[in-house]
Structures are given as C-alpha cells and as structure tokens.
Amino acid sequence: MDEKIKLIDQDNNSGRVASYVPFSIGEQTLIEGDCRTAMLSLPPFDWVITDPPFNADYGFENDNMSEQDFYKFTTQWVRKAERLVKQGLVIIVDPKYCEPFYKIVSLPYHHTYTWFKRNATRGMQGGFANKTEIIVWTERKPEKVEQYPNDVWEIPLIPRDVDHPTPKPIKLLELILRKFTYEGETILDPFAGSGSTLRAAKELGRKATGIEINNNYCKTIIAELSQTEMFV
C-alpha cells in the first residue's frame, strides 16, 4: 500500500494525526503508529493477542505514567480492541501489574496461564528474580476447550539480541497461537514490540497484523520478517 493513511483520533480527543504506511510481507502486516488511532481504520480480527505496556517503566512508550493516566490509556486501547475482535483477547502481563487488566477487560474471563522463566535473573524489588508472567485468556464463546490442561508453561527467556527491553520468545507465542487459534485465523497485536507475534503467526499459518509506535522496533520487525521470508 503506497498511499499514506491519515486519521484524526476523535475517540481519544487527542487531536493527534496518525500517519503511517503499512508494511506487508506475505500475510503479515506491520503498521507504525499509536494503536489507539490505527485500530480505528482496521477490519475485525479473530483474535487480539498482545504483550502490552503495564506501567513498569521498562523504557518504552506508554510505560511510565501516573496510575490514573495509565488506567485511561489501557481502557482506551482495550475498548478499541474489543470492538474489533470476534473471538477473544489474550494478554501477557507481569503478575505484579495485572490488576488493571482484570478490571478493564469486559470480555468473559476463562483462565490464567503461567509462563515460568527458569533462566530469568532480572531482579525485582525485594531481591526476587522475576521468573513468571501470566497469560490472561478472555473469549466470547470458547471453541478450543481442553479438560485439565497444563496451565504452567516452562519456556526459557531468549537472549536480548534485538533492540527491545522485553522480547518474548517465539516459542511462547507459538504455544499461545496453537492453544487458542486455528490456522488461517486473523490475529492483531496492538503492541508488536520485537515482532514475536508476527513471526510466530508466520510460522503457523496465521494472518497477523502488528501495530508498533516505536520506529526502531518497526525496523527490527521488518528486518526479521524479511530475513525469514528469504529462507521460506
């Protein structure tokens, strides 16, 4: 798509203009911009699967706000995502920061899975290593339901060889996609970050769109997607 799209985000009352050129390779698409604005122009998706900012001050956009501003920001993007999604919303979040998401998300809650990072060494306040994150599963009407599923997933952290403070392992996103989605379904990741969701979707035959506000992260995602395309 060669023509730039410009939209005024009236819903946020911000007056900001989103200006971006979507980048597509195969069935994966990347949009550079604020997801709250970009989602206004997108069609429905089967799933929204994302690792959003949770106000932990990790050094990227929208991750160091007052409690009130963060609650407002999260409500804005979640409401827009819920309007687009046909099936469900899956969020990866640190347990310490999960409370706002449980309060804001209005889709039916079904379960919380735990991602166990045995090799994690990054310290938290009090000296504890942060070895777990949680995957919150919400869905309108569950289609893929297992009896007595394993809800603790042990997947090691990956080396930080990309320009992002918290890259998620491709194996984690592949597990999430296999768990909740079917081949051919459409996925939206409003916070594409290092591009793990798009890369996992590409491997598993899902059509994914990512939105990322940080230009450097966009360049990394494009490079990674282009590299994997060369070896297909």
Side-chain angles (χ1 to χ4, degrees):
M1 190 171 180
D2 297 326
E3 187 176 324
K4 280 199 174 185
I5 299 170
K6 293 189 178 181
L7 295 169
I8 301 259
D9 188 355
Q10 296 174 335
D11 201 15
N12 289 344
N13 295 317
S14 65
R16 283 191 296 250
V17 175
S19 178
Y20 50 83
V21 178
F23 168 86
S24 294
I25 185 164
E27 294 187 312
Q28 317 311 316
T29 300
L30 176 66
I31 297 170
E32 180 181 349
D34 188 321
C35 69
R36 294 170 295 172
T37 303
M39 282 191 281
L40 296 174
S41 67
L42 295 179
F45 289 81
D46 293 303
W47 287 88
V48 173
I49 296 174
T50 194
D51 170 30
F54 37 83
N55 219 23
D57 194 15
Y58 281 148
F60 40 74
E61 286 79 4
N62 300 311
D63 199 44
N64 183 17
M65 303 180 179
S66 69
E67 185 175 336
Q68 182 178 2
D69 286 345
F70 179 71
Y71 196 90
K72 179 181 178 181
F73 164 77
T74 301
T75 301
Q76 287 172 345
W77 79 256
V78 167
R79 291 291 171 265
K80 290 186 170 80
E82 288 178 332
R83 290 175 202 152
L84 289 177
V85 75
K86 293 187 283 187
Q87 285 294 117
L89 171 62
V90 177
I91 298 174
I92 307 168
V93 64
D94 188 304
K96 181 180 177 182
Y97 302 97
C98 65
E99 184 178 356
F101 298 96
Y102 283 115
K103 289 181 177 179
I104 292 168
V105 176
S106 64
L107 294 179
Y109 165 82
H110 294 287
H111 197 62
T112 296
Y113 294 81
T114 299
W115 169 31
F116 175 50
K117 306 172 283 187
R118 183 181 295 277
N119 63 332
T121 58
R122 182 171 180 165
M124 293 180 66
Q125 194 173 17
F128 296 99
N130 184 11
K131 289 186 176 291
T132 62
E133 291 186 38
I134 60 174
I135 296 95
V136 181
W137 167 32
T138 69
E139 188 174 358
R140 299 188 192 281
K141 292 183 179 180
E143 294 184 1
K144 298 180 75 171
V145 179
E146 298 178 57
Q147 276 196 319
Y148 313 114
N150 175 16
D151 60 3
V152 179
W153 303 340
E154 183 175 346
I155 298 174
L157 284 173
I158 58 174
R160 293 189 186 179
D161 56 356
V162 296
D163 182 24
H164 192 278
T166 59
K168 295 298 179 286
I170 306 299
K171 287 185 178 180
L172 174 66
L173 273 302
E174 287 180 346
L175 180 55
I176 291 172
L177 292 177
R178 287 194 182 100
K179 188 81 174 174
F180 301 113
T181 73
Y182 292 103
E183 187 172 352
E185 287 193 320
T186 54
I187 315 296
L188 173 65
D189 185 350
F191 302 96
S194 62
S196 298
T197 302
L198 273 70
R199 292 169 63 191
K202 181 178 172 60
E203 290 294 322
L204 298 179
R206 277 66 164 167
K207 303 173 184 178
T209 294
I211 306 170
E212 176 52 51
I213 198 171
N214 185 296
N215 178 259
N216 287 331
Y217 301 161
C218 286
K219 290 176 181 177
T220 298
I221 295 170
I222 291 170
E224 292 289 343
L225 287 176
S226 301
Q227 186 176 24
T228 56
E229 184 75 7
M230 291 171 60
F231 296 100
V232 172

